[in-house]
Amino acid sequence: MKHITMVLLVFMSMLSINCSSDDDNSSDTLAYEGEWSGTYTGAQDNGSWTMQINTDGTVSGTATSEVFNGTYTVSGFVQENGDLTATVGNASSGALFTGQLDGSNASGTWNNTTANMSGEWSGTQQ
């Protein structure tokens, strides 16, 4: 009986060590958290953008068009693997930025189907 008690005690100790809560609730999204900025180019429009990426992956910022002399709201999301999807302006008439964040660099394409405009964008983490 003493032997069984000792085995159970060792087993319970190992179980509590292996199941301890060492999760820090972090994800790869944290690597992208912070201020990002860059430029976008295309045949019909070009300009600059800034985005703030939050711990939960949400994106907010602005994009400024040199051609149309306007500033537009950016909102979107970055997934844990670095995939970015963001809308510039509004969903019905704005541009959709899609791309990849990798380390401190970002790049992708943008498309405004309503205005039949598209191009590329790139930037870096600040």
Side-chain angles (χ1 to χ4, degrees), residues 32 36-41 49 51 53 78 81-86 96-110 119-125:
Y32 308 117
W36 291 72
S37 64
T39 59
Y40 69 94
T41 59
W49 57 267
M51 295 181 195
I53 299 176
V78 174
N81 64 2
D83 287 348
L84 169 80
T85 304
L96 181 65
F97 277 51
T98 57
Q100 182 71 37
L101 281 61
D102 184 19
S104 61
N105 296 306
S107 62
T109 59
W110 64 272
E120 298 179 348
W121 62 268
S122 64
T124 57
Q125 188 173 23

Side-chain angles (χ1 to χ4, degrees), residues 7-58:
V7 170
L8 283 173
L9 184 59
V10 170
F11 177 73
M12 294 299 283
S13 296
M14 289 175 56
L15 185 61
S16 68
I17 291 170
N18 289 334
C19 295
S20 67
S21 179
D22 60 357
D23 293 338
D24 60 4
N25 294 327
S26 66
S27 67
D28 292 337
T29 303
L30 292 175
Y32 308 117
E33 180 184 5
E35 185 77 23
W36 291 72
S37 64
T39 59
Y40 69 94
T41 59
Q44 300 91 352
D45 194 11
N46 60 74
S48 60
W49 57 267
T50 61
M51 295 181 195
Q52 176 67 39
I53 299 176
N54 300 310
T55 303
D56 63 359
T58 57

